[in-house]
Structures are given as C-alpha cells and as structure tokens.
Amino acid sequence: MQRFRPLKSIRTQCIRTSQRRLFCHSLVSMNMLEEDFDSNKNKKLYETHIPISNIERTILAAGSAITALNNPLRGDMIATLGEATGRIFLKRMRDQMLESTVGRRILRERPIINTKTIDFDKLKRTCAPGTFGEQYISWLEAEGVTPDTRCDVKYVDDEELAYVIKRYREIHDFFHALTGLGVTVEEEIALKWFEWAQTGLPMTMLASVFGPLRMTWPERKRLYAGYVPWALQCGSSCTPLMNVYYEDHFHTPIDEFRKQLGITMPPKYSIHEK
C-alpha cells in the first residue's frame, strides 16, 4: 500500500526549498552588483589568490550557497561563499578599520595568527591566571583547537580586502575566548549571530538563519531564548572587534579586557559546562 508523506512535512520542505531559492537568487544578484576591476582580471594579487571572472564568481557563489544551505556547518563552503559575495561588506569592514588608529595599525602591520608567528609555549608560561592570554590558551586546549586550521583566502580580488577577511577568520577563536562559548553546534551558531551583528557578512547570516534547521528543539529553545538576544545586543553595542590588536592584550586581565571592549557574557547552560 502506497504511503503518503504527512502534509506538515511537505509544507516544511516547500518552505525550506523556497528559502534556499530566494537566498541563492539574492546572492547572485548581490554578486552581479559588485565592482569589476579590469586591471585585476587574471592577475594574481597575493600568494593564495585564484583570479576568476564574474561568471565564474557567480557560479561559485551559487554552488557554495547551495552546498552550505544543505549543511550550514560546512566551514569550507561558508568561507568560499564569504569570499565570493562579501566584497561590499569587506569594504565596510576595511573602511571601519581605517577610521580607527588601531585599525590602521593592523592594516599597516598585518599581523598573522598561527603557531609559527606566536610562541604558544612561551605564552603559556608567561601569562598569569585570569589573563586574556591564559584564557585563550586554556580554551584552545580544552576544545582541541589550533589556529592553523583556517582556510586560505583565494577568491577576493583585492589584496587589502583579502587580508581583512583573513584577519577576521584568525581572530574568531579570540571571540570564543572572550565570550566563553565552546564549539558545540548551538554555541557556534550563537557566535555567528554575534558576528553577524558585528560585520553583516552574508556568510554569518547564512549560518545564523539556516544552521538551526539541523538542531533539536531544546537546542533551538536555548538558542532563540537565550543566545540570540545576547548576541544581537552585545554584537551591536561592543567595540568593533576588527579594530582590536589582540596580540597586545595577552597579559591583560580577561575581565578588564571584556569591560574595555564592552563584551557581556552569554547565558550559561549546564549542558555546556565542562
């Protein structure tokens, strides 16, 4: 006997499909509006750069969007989508940095965060308990995370904007250390809401809106009742975090550093305590 899918299930699938089509159409439209610099066509602007045409960029944006919508936690596709569609927002982030003395210094010096540029053993020995550096090292070890896993920037056709998105990716773990959020699905999505409020990047919006579709009801309840209100309020009111030279604050007491930045702590749930 033939079985029919419940009407509610069909309706939910139709809504998700419509959302995906609308989002992909918006991305393609946004991508077509971005500036096209003839002087940069087929010209490699930095070591990891892969020059592509506008048509290739549109296809890349649509393809990464579809894949990321099917699995919003695919970090590589989220990264590719950000590069393919984020030029307008990256320019805003760059301009915001140029308005700040510290932001201009970062753009001028271009610090890089990985195990080759930062002596983590020394940092672990010299950072006193309760400092930002100690909190950062403790978070990396507790979560089994390393700063060496960030995707290379490939598809941003501007050398300075490529550094902006590279810096944004590299300071992501600092956000974890400052907020105390771990790497569970709901905590990562909560941080994406925070980053969306800070940057407006399409890729953060994608993870924020579509990521919860794969979460359980209790996870969604904690996310929308607790994390999202905190993320929107804190992310929109704290210091622009791209304008912070975190490397200068490893020995700053963590509570003092949070106060300087205007960062309040998110809700705590016992299920996430270690």
Side-chain angles (χ1 to χ4, degrees):
M1 183 175 183
Q2 186 177 6
R3 295 185 178 180
F4 296 94
R5 296 172 62 188
L7 182 59
K8 182 178 180 181
S9 175
I10 295 174
R11 184 167 60 248
T12 300
Q13 183 63 36
C14 289
I15 292 173
R16 290 182 180 180
T17 301
S18 298
Q19 288 176 328
R20 289 170 180 172
R21 287 176 178 171
L22 177 61
F23 186 73
C24 291
H25 177 74
S26 299
L27 288 174
V28 172
S29 300
M30 183 187 301
N31 196 54
M32 295 300 291
L33 289 173
E34 290 185 348
E35 299 177 43
D36 177 23
F37 294 93
D38 291 336
S39 61
N40 287 342
K41 282 186 176 180
N42 301 318
K43 181 180 178 181
K44 191 167 183 176
L45 302 176
Y46 47 92
E47 185 178 357
T48 58
H49 184 218
I50 300 177
I52 55 177
S53 67
N54 274 354
I55 294 177
E56 291 172 322
R57 184 174 301 280
T58 299
I59 294 172
L60 184 67
S64 59
I66 291 170
T67 303
L69 285 171
N70 285 324
N71 183 359
L73 300 179
R74 276 283 302 272
D76 56 339
M77 290 295 99
I78 296 292
T80 299
L81 180 63
E83 294 179 29
T85 64
R87 184 183 182 89
I88 295 173
F89 301 93
L90 289 175
K91 288 180 69 176
R92 290 177 185 173
M93 291 166 67
R94 188 270 313 278
D95 292 346
Q96 188 180 61
M97 294 177 74
L98 289 173
E99 293 174 357
S100 161
T101 301
V102 177
R104 291 194 297 273
R105 180 188 165 205
I106 292 171
L107 288 174
R108 183 173 64 252
E109 298 180 2
R110 299 194 179 184
I112 295 174
I113 302 165
N114 57 43
T115 55
K116 294 181 180 178
T117 59
I118 296 176
D119 188 339
F120 282 87
D121 290 334
K122 180 180 179 181
L123 201 63
K124 188 175 181 179
R125 292 194 309 270
T126 59
C127 286
T131 58
F132 169 57
E134 186 268 340
Q135 181 76 16
Y136 173 54
I137 294 292
S138 297
W139 183 87
L140 291 175
E141 293 180 344
E143 301 294 347
V145 176
T146 170
D148 295 333
T149 57
R150 299 299 171 197
C151 297
D152 290 330
V153 181
K154 299 176 182 177
Y155 306 110
V156 177
D157 293 336
D158 182 289
E159 192 254 350
E160 187 171 53
L161 296 184
Y163 175 74
V164 170
I165 196 168
K166 176 181 174 67
R167 176 71 176 177
Y168 163 74
R169 290 175 185 171
E170 291 181 346
I171 63 177
H172 175 80
D173 291 342
F174 291 150
F175 299 167
H176 276 287
L178 286 167
T179 62
L181 291 171
V183 295
T184 64
V185 172
E186 63 188 276
E187 289 175 293
E188 283 286 7
I189 292 176
L191 198 58
K192 287 303 178 188
W193 278 90
F194 175 85
E195 292 175 353
W196 186 14
Q198 270 271 313
T199 68
L201 283 169
M203 60 183 183
T204 57
M205 182 269 282
L206 175 72
S208 299
V209 174
F210 292 96
L213 295 178
R214 291 174 172 263
M215 293 167 61
T216 64
W217 168 244
E219 289 173 335
R220 291 184 196 177
K221 185 177 180 180
R222 287 191 294 268
L223 179 70
Y224 290 118
Y227 285 132
V228 171
W230 162 81
L232 294 178
Q233 190 281 326
C234 185
S236 60
S237 63
C238 71
T239 297
L241 297 180
M242 288 292 292
N243 291 346
V244 180
Y245 214 127
Y246 299 90
E247 297 88 329
D248 288 347
H249 292 276
F250 283 139
H251 299 281
T252 302
I254 185 71
D255 290 336
E256 178 184 324
F257 195 29
R258 287 173 178 147
K259 186 175 181 180
Q260 289 175 12
L261 300 177
I263 290 180
T264 57
M265 297 301 287
K268 287 182 181 274
Y269 296 102
S270 58
I271 193 172
H272 296 143
E273 292 180 359
K274 294 186 176 183

